[in-house]
Amino acid sequence: MSDTPAAATPDPAEKPAAAAKPAPQAKPKPPKLEDKPFAAFIAEDFLPGLRKGLADHGLTPTSLDLIQGERPVVGGSCWMVCGELPPGRRFWLCFNEAAIQSGKTIALADPGTEPSLIESFLIDEKRITLPLLLSRLLQRLNGQKWLGGN
């Protein structure tokens, strides 16, 4: 007999240990537009989208800005998207807080007048999105017959 150990015969039921593969990394989802900070969302997404929506109706706003100031008609400080359309029609989309999910109101004024009525805006919607905000504001302005003949 020899003093050298016999070579071990591999057991066919035994599988060789596979090299450990790193777990596939899930690609991070880009944040939703609506999760951006309020001012960035309004400036980078909402206002350009609104300008495009108005342009689709042949209108170029005289002014379109996000400001913090006194809410029309009822007072109180809030964030507002203030717009003016030719020939001097004005609107204020007011946010109770610096968040698109917060309560919203809208006020409108024809040329040469001050707003006299403030209305709730998107009060029944559970999730506010950019397309929803844009479509409903344009729908409301169209209801005033500000976007062309109906």
Short mmCIF file of all heavy atoms in Angstrom, two decimals, residues 47 50 61 63-68 70 72 79-84 90-94:
data_model
loop_
_atom_site.label_atom_id
_atom_site.label_comp_id
_atom_site.label_asym_id
_atom_site.label_seq_id
_atom_site.Cartn_x
_atom_site.Cartn_y
_atom_site.Cartn_z
N LEU A 47 -45.19 76.11 -15.60
CA LEU A 47 -45.25 77.32 -16.42
C LEU A 47 -44.91 77.05 -17.89
O LEU A 47 -45.64 77.50 -18.78
CB LEU A 47 -44.36 78.43 -15.85
CG LEU A 47 -44.82 78.99 -14.49
CD1 LEU A 47 -43.86 80.06 -13.99
CD2 LEU A 47 -46.24 79.52 -14.54
N LEU A 50 -47.90 75.33 -19.35
CA LEU A 50 -49.02 76.26 -19.53
C LEU A 50 -48.78 77.17 -20.73
O LEU A 50 -49.70 77.41 -21.53
CB LEU A 50 -49.22 77.09 -18.25
CG LEU A 50 -50.40 78.03 -18.24
CD1 LEU A 50 -51.71 77.30 -18.55
CD2 LEU A 50 -50.49 78.73 -16.88
N PRO A 61 -49.03 84.53 -23.42
CA PRO A 61 -49.34 85.32 -22.23
C PRO A 61 -48.50 86.60 -22.16
O PRO A 61 -47.32 86.58 -22.52
CB PRO A 61 -49.03 84.39 -21.06
CG PRO A 61 -48.22 83.28 -21.62
CD PRO A 61 -48.44 83.24 -23.08
N SER A 63 -47.96 88.03 -19.30
CA SER A 63 -47.12 87.69 -18.15
C SER A 63 -47.61 86.36 -17.58
O SER A 63 -48.78 86.01 -17.70
CB SER A 63 -47.16 88.78 -17.07
OG SER A 63 -48.45 88.87 -16.51
N LEU A 64 -46.67 85.64 -16.97
CA LEU A 64 -46.98 84.36 -16.36
C LEU A 64 -45.89 84.11 -15.32
O LEU A 64 -44.74 83.88 -15.68
CB LEU A 64 -46.98 83.27 -17.42
CG LEU A 64 -47.59 81.92 -17.08
CD1 LEU A 64 -49.03 82.05 -16.57
CD2 LEU A 64 -47.55 81.00 -18.28
N ASP A 65 -46.24 84.23 -14.03
CA ASP A 65 -45.24 84.19 -12.97
C ASP A 65 -45.75 83.44 -11.74
O ASP A 65 -46.95 83.39 -11.50
CB ASP A 65 -44.89 85.62 -12.52
CG ASP A 65 -44.34 86.45 -13.64
OD1 ASP A 65 -43.25 86.12 -14.14
OD2 ASP A 65 -45.01 87.44 -14.03
N LEU A 66 -44.81 82.94 -10.97
CA LEU A 66 -45.09 82.41 -9.64
C LEU A 66 -44.68 83.48 -8.64
O LEU A 66 -43.54 83.94 -8.66
CB LEU A 66 -44.30 81.12 -9.37
CG LEU A 66 -44.39 80.57 -7.95
CD1 LEU A 66 -45.81 80.11 -7.62
CD2 LEU A 66 -43.41 79.43 -7.74
N ILE A 67 -45.62 83.89 -7.81
CA ILE A 67 -45.32 84.90 -6.80
C ILE A 67 -45.92 84.46 -5.47
O ILE A 67 -46.83 83.63 -5.42
CB ILE A 67 -45.85 86.31 -7.18
CG1 ILE A 67 -47.38 86.31 -7.24
CG2 ILE A 67 -45.25 86.79 -8.47
CD1 ILE A 67 -47.97 87.72 -7.27
N GLN A 68 -45.41 85.04 -4.42
CA GLN A 68 -46.04 84.88 -3.11
C GLN A 68 -46.59 86.25 -2.75
O GLN A 68 -45.86 87.25 -2.81
CB GLN A 68 -45.04 84.41 -2.06
CG GLN A 68 -45.69 84.06 -0.75
CD GLN A 68 -44.71 83.44 0.24
OE1 GLN A 68 -43.51 83.60 0.12
NE2 GLN A 68 -45.25 82.75 1.22
N GLU A 70 -50.62 88.52 -1.67
CA GLU A 70 -51.97 88.60 -1.12
C GLU A 70 -52.96 87.96 -2.08
O GLU A 70 -53.05 88.34 -3.25
CB GLU A 70 -52.33 90.07 -0.91
CG GLU A 70 -53.57 90.32 -0.12
CD GLU A 70 -53.40 90.07 1.37
OE1 GLU A 70 -52.26 89.92 1.85
OE2 GLU A 70 -54.43 90.01 2.06
N PRO A 72 -56.17 87.25 -4.09
CA PRO A 72 -57.24 88.14 -4.53
C PRO A 72 -58.55 87.85 -3.80
O PRO A 72 -58.78 86.74 -3.35
CB PRO A 72 -57.39 87.81 -6.02
CG PRO A 72 -56.17 87.06 -6.40
CD PRO A 72 -55.65 86.42 -5.16
N TRP A 79 -49.05 81.33 -2.25
CA TRP A 79 -48.31 81.23 -3.50
C TRP A 79 -49.32 81.25 -4.63
O TRP A 79 -50.39 80.64 -4.52
CB TRP A 79 -47.51 79.94 -3.55
CG TRP A 79 -46.28 80.00 -2.71
CD1 TRP A 79 -46.13 79.52 -1.44
CD2 TRP A 79 -45.04 80.60 -3.06
NE1 TRP A 79 -44.87 79.77 -0.99
CE2 TRP A 79 -44.17 80.44 -1.97
CE3 TRP A 79 -44.57 81.25 -4.19
CZ2 TRP A 79 -42.86 80.90 -1.97
CZ3 TRP A 79 -43.27 81.73 -4.20
CH2 TRP A 79 -42.43 81.54 -3.10
N MET A 80 -49.00 81.98 -5.71
CA MET A 80 -49.94 82.12 -6.83
C MET A 80 -49.21 82.04 -8.15
O MET A 80 -48.11 82.59 -8.28
CB MET A 80 -50.64 83.48 -6.79
CG MET A 80 -51.45 83.74 -5.56
SD MET A 80 -52.08 85.44 -5.55
CE MET A 80 -50.67 86.33 -4.87
N VAL A 81 -49.83 81.38 -9.10
CA VAL A 81 -49.43 81.50 -10.49
C VAL A 81 -50.32 82.60 -11.04
O VAL A 81 -51.55 82.45 -11.10
CB VAL A 81 -49.61 80.18 -11.27
CG1 VAL A 81 -49.38 80.40 -12.76
CG2 VAL A 81 -48.68 79.11 -10.72
N CYS A 82 -49.71 83.72 -11.38
CA CYS A 82 -50.45 84.87 -11.90
C CYS A 82 -50.19 84.98 -13.39
O CYS A 82 -49.04 84.92 -13.83
CB CYS A 82 -49.98 86.15 -11.23
SG CYS A 82 -50.16 86.13 -9.45
N GLY A 83 -51.26 85.10 -14.13
CA GLY A 83 -51.12 85.21 -15.57
C GLY A 83 -51.97 86.33 -16.13
O GLY A 83 -53.02 86.66 -15.58
N GLU A 84 -51.48 86.90 -17.21
CA GLU A 84 -52.26 87.89 -17.95
C GLU A 84 -52.24 87.49 -19.41
O GLU A 84 -51.18 87.17 -19.97
CB GLU A 84 -51.70 89.29 -17.78
CG GLU A 84 -52.56 90.33 -18.48
CD GLU A 84 -52.13 91.76 -18.20
OE1 GLU A 84 -51.44 92.01 -17.21
OE2 GLU A 84 -52.50 92.63 -19.02
N ARG A 90 -56.87 88.59 -16.67
CA ARG A 90 -55.93 88.10 -15.66
C ARG A 90 -56.52 86.94 -14.88
O ARG A 90 -57.73 86.86 -14.69
CB ARG A 90 -55.59 89.23 -14.69
CG ARG A 90 -54.85 90.37 -15.38
CD ARG A 90 -54.65 91.57 -14.49
NE ARG A 90 -55.96 92.13 -14.18
CZ ARG A 90 -56.26 92.73 -13.03
NH1 ARG A 90 -55.38 92.88 -12.09
NH2 ARG A 90 -57.48 93.20 -12.83
N PHE A 91 -55.62 86.04 -14.44
CA PHE A 91 -56.04 84.94 -13.59
C PHE A 91 -54.99 84.70 -12.52
O PHE A 91 -53.83 85.03 -12.68
CB PHE A 91 -56.30 83.66 -14.39
CG PHE A 91 -55.08 83.06 -15.02
CD1 PHE A 91 -54.32 82.11 -14.34
CD2 PHE A 91 -54.69 83.42 -16.29
CE1 PHE A 91 -53.19 81.56 -14.91
CE2 PHE A 91 -53.56 82.87 -16.88
CZ PHE A 91 -52.81 81.94 -16.19
N TRP A 92 -55.45 84.15 -11.41
CA TRP A 92 -54.61 83.80 -10.28
C TRP A 92 -54.96 82.39 -9.85
O TRP A 92 -56.10 82.13 -9.43
CB TRP A 92 -54.87 84.73 -9.08
CG TRP A 92 -54.56 86.16 -9.34
CD1 TRP A 92 -53.43 86.83 -8.97
CD2 TRP A 92 -55.40 87.14 -9.97
NE1 TRP A 92 -53.51 88.15 -9.35
CE2 TRP A 92 -54.72 88.37 -9.97
CE3 TRP A 92 -56.67 87.08 -10.56
CZ2 TRP A 92 -55.25 89.52 -10.52
CZ3 TRP A 92 -57.20 88.23 -11.11
CH2 TRP A 92 -56.50 89.44 -11.08
N LEU A 93 -54.01 81.47 -9.97
CA LEU A 93 -54.18 80.12 -9.45
C LEU A 93 -53.43 80.10 -8.12
O LEU A 93 -52.20 80.19 -8.10
CB LEU A 93 -53.62 79.07 -10.42
CG LEU A 93 -53.70 77.62 -9.94
CD1 LEU A 93 -55.14 77.20 -9.62
CD2 LEU A 93 -53.09 76.69 -10.96
N CYS A 94 -54.17 80.03 -7.03
CA CYS A 94 -53.61 80.19 -5.69
C CYS A 94 -53.46 78.84 -4.98
O CYS A 94 -54.36 78.01 -5.05
CB CYS A 94 -54.52 81.08 -4.84
SG CYS A 94 -54.88 82.67 -5.63
#
